[in-house]
Amino acid sequence: MADASDTRAGQIREAVVEAALGTLDLTAKAGLLAGQDMWSLPALPEIGLASLVMSDGPIGVRGVRWTANDPSIALPSPTALAASWDPELTRRAGRLLAQEARRKGVHVLLAPTVNLHRSPLGGRHFEAYSEDPYLTGEIGTAYVRGVQDGGVGTTVKHFVANDAETDRFTVDNIVAPRPLRELYLAPFEAIVAHARPWGIMAAYNQVNGSTMTEHRYLQHEVLRGEWGFDGAVVSDWLAARSTAGALLGGLDVAMPGPRTVYGDALVAAVRAGEVPQSAVDDAVRRVLLLAARVGVLDGAPAAVSDPPAPIDGEALAREIARRSFVLVRNEPRTGAEDENGGDRPAPVLPIDPARTGTVALSGAPARDARVLGGGSAVVFPGHVVSPLDGLAAALPGGSLSYSLGADPNEELADAGTGFELTALCRAADGRILGTATVPGGRVQWAGSDLPDGVTHEELHTVELTGTFVPRESGEHAFGTRGLGGFVLTVDGTVLFDGTERLGAATDPFEAFFGRPVERAHAELTEGERVTVSLLHTVHRIPDAPIKAVAFSLLHLGPRHDPDELIARAVEEARTAGTAVVVVATTERVESEGFDRENLKLPGRQDDLVRAVAAVNPNTVVVVNTGSPVEMPWREDVAAVLLSWFPGQEGGGALADVLLGAAEPGGRLPTTWPVALADVPVSVTTPADGELHYSEGVFIGYRAWERAGVAPAYPFGHGLGYTDWEYETITATIDDARVRLRNTGVRAGREVVQIYLAPVDDTVERPARWLAGFASVEAGPGETVEARIPLRRRAFEIWDEDSRSWSFVPGTYEVQAGRSVADRRLNSVVDARA
């Protein structure tokens, strides 16, 4: 319950909002509901309203410009955050992001993403938390609380059932009422109830025949009516299609601007009698309340007057990374005697260089770390610590070797390492309008995000100029992404002069940004600097909803004989005490905008792992992906560590965990399959415009258990560096209490998971479902108790006949364990309404 001061501040905010609303005419009201540019709403000085600024940022706050000049802290991916199973750590992450937002002048963060891992093929899987709605709701609640602790708003997204990327602008997801409530709406409902978010983002897709930006039932009746949500509903970018449909359907803000379905179009709709003035007032009232909460409406007290104490972003990024790493396999070190006085030899991890000798590191991602996913989640950190950097800093000199081994980057990518590029903007008459630095060789200027002095009306060409220092000798490939004219020059020689025209892509973003195209090759020498230029004639799309300039200079280093690369890595690994292989996906595999076609690692990475493991039985594989991949070699290696996309400090965190300075703290937030063919729910491609969620309430581990198929690693699985004995459990329908003892030789952390399993069930439900969890810490030999509250909702289902939640009485087992498949204790409770 809010204290008296909170209540008084809320009353003042409401009074200021009503007074401001009463002074605005229809034109000003309609304009306030439409983005004035890519990232902000207009200021209204007459009521003391400053411009409200939004920014992308599930794992970092980019700000309103696509530039590396103002670096952002890059935290681990949302899958990593969920793998920590630690709401308090997540809340601290949210507070850090609020700190970053305030520094960049951002008032609202376009996050978190709480859609579910319905299929492992989902291209944006890495940006969502889990396959489980309860875990997703707990982590999402903590994230929202943390960000809003810092006085910055959130827009919980994407409301709702936006669980795949294929045809995301048009797909109609057909979801029955029960799974819609019990799975896909559940995280949003939990976050609204427990975090009171100030914003929700409406998705692109349709649900049961209505596009989400116009879904009156879900946005008005459910979100606002049943749940009591009092914040603003913002469209996903370009998602709003209809003026009257959107406003009457519950959409408050149409983004981006300046041309949207609101503004002048809304004024006309009101005057034509299509939209009542009262509906406009309701939407404006909610936008003004959001502005008041974040402190940009004069006279209204901000929701937070004293932000939390400053947070060391680099330290927190490193802590989250190591707390998120999931150790799924850790076998005894071959040839080692028992080092701890027990009955079996010590496992391969953690590595003790004093005992085990040298470490042979291989894999391209060990050198060029992939620390974040593609799409709107991209930010530009000031530095990135790769696995090679982290291990080189932590290991004694001379004990680490590195070889490329296998490179998953078989396609051209944005020009990054070795390139120093500046964008030179010119008018048609040759006048220089402005300049800008170019992160990774990519220009992505939308709306007002242009270099100082540059306008879309005058801009005719953009020339990327600078230098490139190759890391390797050989034939280098260069290319472009984008539409329009290109002249590519390397070392004074024009290698390409041509035009890329609009293709047939169905996703508007893909159509605009274009596909990667290889253009030319140049023979270059390691370490010898060459000049590079890409002259781009700006392509203009008539009547485009956003004025934008988007293109890239692409590059791919020399293509090596993969067998030779693997052979070199094998020779390094053969005599090493431990071999560490880092494997990864690429941006062409995991990114916003498309779904995956399979779960295979790209390139020859599987072959690399097999070859190294064949000569070194103490092989550790670090899997640098945001979501599941097939690991056909998993039982042939000594250890497998999932590092997700670990953020900018991932390499340092990896060294901490591999060398034992910290324990891998993560548990799987989603089931990890053996092969795609085993996955019970995998389809992401619509048929005739519709994607039927025909599996009902059976997704994730619920579906795996129903199918009777064992995955590679079950939901909730994860190993630490100590052992735990689960001793006792007592349970009621309100909570469970579990006593457990650390039986290992070092301190550790355990995530105690509680699953509810009905006995002789009277309705169709999964065999069990996650009902609660808690983490405990204990030293060697210590006993500790975990108390896990159980919510009434865990015993309820959505009754489609009564259209309400229904408590299901009966006998339930309250099961405590380390994963959904490793349940150690149970207690029977008799549940009555």
Side-chain angles (χ1 to χ4, degrees):
M1 179 178 291
D3 62 28
S5 61
D6 289 339
T7 301
R8 177 59 179 156
Q11 292 171 343
I12 295 173
R13 274 195 294 273
E14 291 178 7
V16 172
V17 165
E18 289 302 320
L21 180 64
T23 68
L24 298 177
D25 62 17
L26 177 60
T27 299
K29 291 175 181 176
L32 186 58
L33 304 181
Q36 67 175 349
D37 54 26
M38 191 69 177
W39 302 111
S40 69
L41 298 182
L44 294 175
E46 63 269 29
I47 60 170
L49 177 68
S51 177
L52 188 146
V53 179
M54 309 176 207
S55 173
D56 279 325
I59 55 96
V61 184
R62 188 168 62 243
V64 300
R65 288 196 166 184
W66 187 267
T67 175
N69 288 345
D70 184 14
S72 306
I73 294 292
L75 297 178
S77 63
T79 42
L81 205 56
S84 75
W85 288 62
D86 191 333
E88 186 52 41
L89 181 66
T90 303
R91 189 166 186 170
R92 288 167 55 204
R95 289 178 172 179
L96 171 64
L97 293 173
Q99 174 180 297
E100 285 278 280
R102 294 193 306 271
R103 180 176 67 81
K104 288 173 174 274
V106 168
H107 308 113
V108 176
L109 202 55
L110 303 173
T113 301
V114 299
N115 301 115
L116 297 185
H117 296 169
R118 175 179 172 268
S119 165
L121 294 177
R124 219 165 172 177
H125 193 295
F126 64 88
E127 198 178 317
Y129 293 129
S130 172
E131 67 188 27
D132 182 78
Y134 178 80
L135 178 59
T136 297
E138 292 296 288
I139 298 298
T141 292
Y143 183 103
V144 170
R145 283 176 173 169
V147 174
Q148 293 182 177
D149 283 347
V152 174
T154 56
T155 56
V156 187
K157 63 184 188 182
H158 306 84
F159 192 71
V160 61
N162 186 181
D163 310 298
E165 295 292 278
T166 303
D167 296 343
R168 61 179 175 161
F169 286 84
T170 57
V171 63
D172 187 4
N173 292 325
I174 308 301
V175 194
R178 189 176 163 204
L180 184 61
R181 290 283 187 157
E182 294 183 19
L183 298 179
Y184 304 102
L185 286 171
F188 291 94
E189 182 182 11
I191 293 168
V192 169
H194 302 297
R196 312 304 301 176
W198 303 340
I200 295 281
M201 181 184 288
Y204 290 122
N205 54 282
Q206 301 177 63
V207 172
N208 298 331
S210 175
T211 187
M212 277 310 306
T213 53
E214 302 173 26
H215 211 303
R216 183 174 181 84
Y217 170 66
L218 290 177
Q219 294 187 148
H220 267 315
E221 294 185 35
V222 175
L223 179 61
R224 293 197 176 103
E226 292 181 27
W227 299 351
F229 173 68
D230 67 353
V233 177
V234 179
S235 76
D236 205 339
W237 267 225
L238 299 177
R241 285 113 161 141
S242 157
T243 300
L247 195 77
L248 296 177
L251 183 73
D252 297 318
V253 177
M255 291 297 291
R259 198 176 80 191
T260 79
V261 299
Y262 289 165
D264 293 341
L266 182 54
V267 172
V270 172
R271 289 175 177 163
E274 299 170 359
V275 175
Q277 174 80 47
S278 60
V280 176
D281 286 350
D282 286 343
V284 172
R285 185 177 287 112
R286 290 187 284 265
V287 172
L288 290 175
L289 177 59
L290 173 60
R293 282 168 163 162
V294 301
V296 296
L297 180 62
D298 286 353
V304 175
S305 56
D306 296 310
I311 296 172
D312 183 332
E314 293 179 6
L316 183 57
R318 186 165 178 164
E319 179 183 356
I320 294 171
R322 62 186 180 228
R323 295 275 293 276
S324 72
F325 292 164
V326 181
L327 182 60
V328 295
R329 179 178 174 85
N330 193 18
E331 295 300 297
R333 176 174 290 276
T334 298
E337 297 179 357
D338 176 23
E339 299 168 359
N340 301 315
D343 297 328
R344 61 185 177 89
V348 69
L349 291 180
I351 300 167
D352 181 355
R355 290 177 176 268
T356 60
T358 59
V359 175
L361 178 66
S362 61
R367 181 188 65 183
D368 301 316
R370 188 170 185 207
V371 301
L372 44 78
S376 60
V378 169
V379 296
F380 304 107
H383 68 269
V384 170
V385 182
S386 70
L388 178 57
D389 296 332
L391 286 169
L395 286 167
S399 62
L400 177 69
S401 65
Y402 172 72
S403 54
L404 191 65
D407 193 343
N409 296 294
E410 299 177 316
E411 300 180 15
L412 282 81
D414 291 343
T417 303
F419 288 86
E420 293 184 3
L421 299 169
T422 299
L424 192 62
C425 303
R426 293 188 177 93
D429 60 7
R431 283 181 296 113
I432 296 177
L433 303 175
T435 62
T437 57
V438 184
R442 178 184 295 190
V443 169
Q444 191 167 305
W445 303 329
S448 59
D449 178 12
L450 287 167
D452 292 339
V454 179
T455 65
H456 286 287
E457 290 69 28
E458 279 200 296
L459 183 61
H460 179 63
T461 64
V462 180
E463 184 178 13
L464 302 187
T465 64
T467 61
F468 172 51
V469 179
R471 290 189 296 191
E472 300 176 71
S473 297
E475 186 179 67
H476 290 249
F478 293 86
T480 62
R481 180 193 286 115
L483 305 177
F486 293 99
V487 179
L488 172 64
T489 305
V490 177
D491 204 20
T493 301
V494 174
L495 300 181
F496 175 77
D497 186 344
T499 301
E500 182 72 14
R501 305 191 185 280
L502 185 65
T506 57
D507 187 311
F509 285 93
E510 184 181 347
F512 186 83
F513 292 118
R515 58 189 176 85
V517 181
E518 190 167 317
R519 301 295 189 186
H521 302 86
E523 195 74 26
L524 303 176
T525 303
E526 176 185 350
E528 291 189 6
R529 187 181 304 271
V530 295
T531 59
V532 177
S533 168
L534 179 64
L535 177 63
H536 170 64
T537 303
V538 174
H539 175 78
R540 303 186 189 280
I541 300 177
D543 299 321
I546 305 173
K547 292 181 178 178
V549 180
F551 70 96
S552 297
L553 171 64
L554 305 178
H555 169 260
L556 180 65
R559 292 174 167 93
H560 299 286
D561 182 329
D563 291 326
E564 290 183 5
L565 291 178
I566 292 173
R568 290 177 201 157
V570 166
E571 287 311 304
E572 292 286 349
R574 191 185 302 276
T575 57
T578 308
V580 177
V581 184
V582 183
V583 297
T585 55
T586 69
E587 193 167 323
R588 295 297 296 169
V589 174
E590 288 186 90
S591 178
E592 178 181 353
F594 55 86
D595 291 317
R596 291 198 283 171
E597 297 178 358
N598 56 61
L599 300 182
K600 298 183 184 300
L601 286 167
R604 297 280 302 278
Q605 295 181 100
D606 286 336
D607 292 339
L608 170 65
V609 174
R610 290 189 185 98
V612 169
V615 300
N616 192 320
N618 298 318
T619 295
V620 178
V621 183
V622 178
V623 183
N624 179 197
T625 70
S627 48
V629 292
E630 293 176 4
M631 300 183 293
W633 33 258
R634 69 190 185 285
E635 294 184 355
D636 300 325
V637 300
V640 180
L641 181 72
L642 311 181
S643 69
W644 314 106
F645 296 146
Q648 68 177 58
E649 306 298 325
L654 182 64
D656 292 340
V657 167
L658 291 183
L659 303 180
E663 185 180 39
R667 304 293 185 266
L668 284 179
T670 200
T671 305
W672 209 274
V674 174
L676 177 60
D678 299 332
V679 176
V681 180
S682 61
V683 176
T684 61
T685 302
D688 298 324
E690 296 182 346
L691 182 62
H692 289 258
Y693 286 36
S694 56
E695 68 280 352
V697 297
F698 295 92
I699 69 168
Y701 62 86
R702 296 164 165 83
W704 283 93
E705 290 204 326
R706 188 190 201 197
V709 178
Y713 303 107
F715 175 82
H717 174 66
L719 307 173
Y721 287 159
T722 190
D723 296 312
W724 296 87
E725 180 181 346
Y726 282 60
E727 295 182 337
T728 64
I729 181 174
T730 57
T732 68
I733 64 170
D734 296 316
D735 67 20
R737 298 172 187 264
V738 180
R739 288 185 63 82
L740 60 164
R741 183 166 57 91
N742 180 346
T743 59
V745 297
R746 57 180 286 166
R749 171 179 175 265
E750 175 73 337
V751 178
V752 181
Q753 303 164 38
I754 298 295
Y755 295 89
L756 205 59
V759 178
D760 298 325
D761 208 355
T762 58
V763 295
E764 185 182 36
R765 282 189 289 183
R768 73 200 87 254
W769 53 90
L770 183 69
F773 63 90
S775 60
V776 295
E777 295 182 3
E782 292 182 353
T783 298
V784 64
E785 181 177 271
R787 178 186 176 276
I788 300 100
L790 301 178
R791 294 178 184 155
R792 178 183 174 88
R793 179 59 56 81
F795 297 89
E796 295 179 330
I797 66 166
W798 181 257
D799 188 317
E800 295 185 351
D801 293 329
S802 66
R803 300 181 65 180
S804 64
W805 289 101
S806 175
F807 189 95
V808 182
T811 302
Y812 292 81
E813 281 192 357
V814 179
Q815 303 171 338
R818 309 196 70 191
S819 76
V820 70
D822 183 5
R823 305 178 304 278
R824 302 292 180 88
L825 299 170
N826 72 81
S827 177
V828 176
V829 299
D830 186 24
R832 293 289 179 261

